[in-house]
Every structure is written in structure tokens, then in C-alpha cells.
Amino acid sequence: MKTRLAKTVVLAGRILLENGAETHRVEDTMRRMCEAYGAQVTDSYVTPGMLMISFSYDGDMVHNMKRTGVKTTDLGKIDAVNTLSRNVSSLALEELYEQLQKVETSPGPSTGRYSVGAFVAAAGFAALFGSTGVEALAAGWIGGCCAFLLRTWGSRFSSAFQNMAGSAFMTACALACPGLGLGAQPVLLGALMILVPGMLLTNAIRDIVNGDSISGTSRLAEAIVTAAAIALGNLAVLALRGGV
């Protein structure tokens, strides 16, 4: 029972962390799950690279640690784990573990849905930056194509290389827009926004404010590296083409 509880709690925390949840949410969820199944003296510790849980159960101290890392952003999986954590009182431990395994292995949004979401986001940002309707559609098309390519072929590469390649692709497409009578800058700005690590940066600031300085600085460094990769991809194409 106690070993299964430790594995279940760490699995829940790992799903949350790997899909973009902030450190405080992960630690709080792990602690509450332990207490719901009768654990005492519960301590949880989470950084972007590691989860650890320690609790007392029937007089014995139980510890479990798992190395992990932030992989992507999937609010659907975060919501699924949060829903399970709120309903632990009505779930047997084995059933909770099985449900968490299903959440972990679920495929998430399809490539088509992911690409459509990128299209809408890029077009919306372009319109926000003052583009015309046609320019917004062009930005959406570039963003959607980039998302499709990265989702289809990018998983074999590091996230930094994916962002660099995506930025270069978007810049190259945007530079062709003046030949079609469209402005390159609003199209490029709108498209690039889908690569900006907004949630990562927000979580980094929240972690620092909450006192989780190690997690906060780690996430902040990752956000800076992501932004640098986007800039490098953009600058590389601009240097080759002579600017916008």
C-alpha cells in the first residue's frame, strides 16, 4: 500500500510537471493525495528536473524520487490530474494509479487540431499587431504550417533546435510576403508569437514569487534559451536574405 501510494503520487506529480504546471501546484497536489490516503508528516519537493515525496505511513517513513523534466504544455492533462486529485476520496488507490496511467499515455490533441490552433493564434496576434485581414491570414497559414512540421518531424530534435528551425522557416516565408503585396513585419510578428515561451516565463515568475527560487531560475533560464533560439533562427535567415 505505502509503496504503491508513493509511486502513484510521484506519477501524478510527473504528469503535471512535464505538461507545464507550476511547482507549487505539483507539490500541493502530491501532498494532498498522500494525506487523502492516510499518510502523515508529508513533504514534497519539486524542481524542473526532479520530484521527491516523503511521508509517514503506519509508523514507517516512505520516500520516492523521480528524475523528470518539462516536455511540453498540455493543459488537458493538467486538468485531468487536477480532477482526479479532487476525487481521490471516491477512488481506490489502484484505480487512481490506472487512471493516471491512462492520462499519461493519452495522445493529446491531434496534429490537425494542433495546427489549427496555431493558425488561429498566429492570425489573432497578427491582427493584434495591426495587420490587414489578408496579412493575418498569411500569418495564420505560416504558423499553422510551422506547427504541423514541428509536430510531425520536430520530435527527434531538441526543443532549442525546434524553435530555431521554426523561427527560420517563418522568417523565410514572411520575406516572400512583399512579393504578394503584403507586409512582412506584421506577418512575421504574428507567426513568431506561437513560439514565444509565454507560459514558461509566467510559471518562472510565479515560482520565484512563491519562494521556489531554484525552480523559478531554472524555468527562467529555459525561457531565455528558447527566446535566444527564436532570435537566432530569425537573424540567420535575415542575414542570408539581407533583412526584411
Side-chain angles (χ1 to χ4, degrees):
M1 173 69 176
K2 55 190 177 184
T3 302
R4 174 62 74 187
L5 177 58
K7 290 182 178 180
T8 301
V9 168
V10 168
L11 175 59
R14 182 160 58 86
I15 295 172
L16 289 172
L17 185 65
E18 290 182 348
N19 289 281
E22 67 272 19
T23 300
H24 177 72
R25 179 189 296 271
V26 179
E27 291 180 341
D28 185 61
T29 299
M30 293 170 67
R31 179 179 58 81
R32 289 177 181 273
M33 281 186 171
C34 284
E35 293 175 353
Y37 287 101
Q40 299 174 331
V41 194
T42 302
D43 290 302
S44 57
Y45 180 72
V46 174
T47 69
M50 183 188 72
L51 302 98
M52 184 170 65
I53 188 71
S54 175
F55 58 86
S56 174
Y57 196 92
D58 289 339
D60 296 327
M61 289 301 299
V62 182
H63 313 280
N64 194 17
M65 181 175 66
K66 181 71 175 180
R67 183 173 177 82
T68 185
V70 179
K71 293 183 177 180
T72 184
T73 299
D74 192 333
L75 298 181
K77 289 188 177 183
I78 293 176
D79 179 66
V81 175
N82 287 338
T83 300
L84 288 172
S85 70
R86 287 190 290 268
N87 296 324
V88 290
S89 59
S90 61
L91 294 173
L93 185 57
E94 288 294 333
E95 184 180 359
L96 175 62
Y97 187 75
E98 292 175 0
Q99 292 295 327
L100 287 171
Q101 285 183 315
K102 291 180 181 180
V103 173
E104 183 185 26
T105 57
S106 62
S110 64
T111 300
R113 185 177 177 184
Y114 186 80
S115 302
V116 170
F119 174 93
V120 173
F125 278 115
L128 185 65
F129 293 141
S131 68
T132 64
V134 178
E135 289 171 344
L137 290 176
W141 181 85
I142 293 173
C145 289
C146 181
F148 176 82
L149 293 174
L150 292 179
R151 188 69 178 264
T152 305
W153 304 102
S155 59
R156 66 191 70 180
F157 303 107
S158 67
S159 59
F161 184 82
Q162 289 183 46
N163 286 305
M164 190 183 302
S167 175
F169 171 81
M170 291 179 177
T171 303
C173 291
L175 290 175
C177 288
L180 301 174
L182 304 176
Q185 289 185 352
V187 171
L188 180 58
L189 286 173
L192 284 177
M193 286 301 293
I194 69 171
L195 298 178
V196 173
M199 185 172 178
L200 183 62
L201 181 60
T202 300
N203 284 344
I205 295 173
R206 290 188 63 175
D207 286 346
I208 293 173
V209 171
N210 288 331
D212 300 311
S213 56
I214 295 177
S215 297
T217 53
S218 176
R219 291 177 189 266
L220 183 60
E222 186 177 353
I224 292 173
V225 170
T226 301
I230 296 172
L232 285 174
N234 176 261
L235 291 174
V237 175
L238 290 179
L240 292 174
R241 295 288 298 270
V244 179

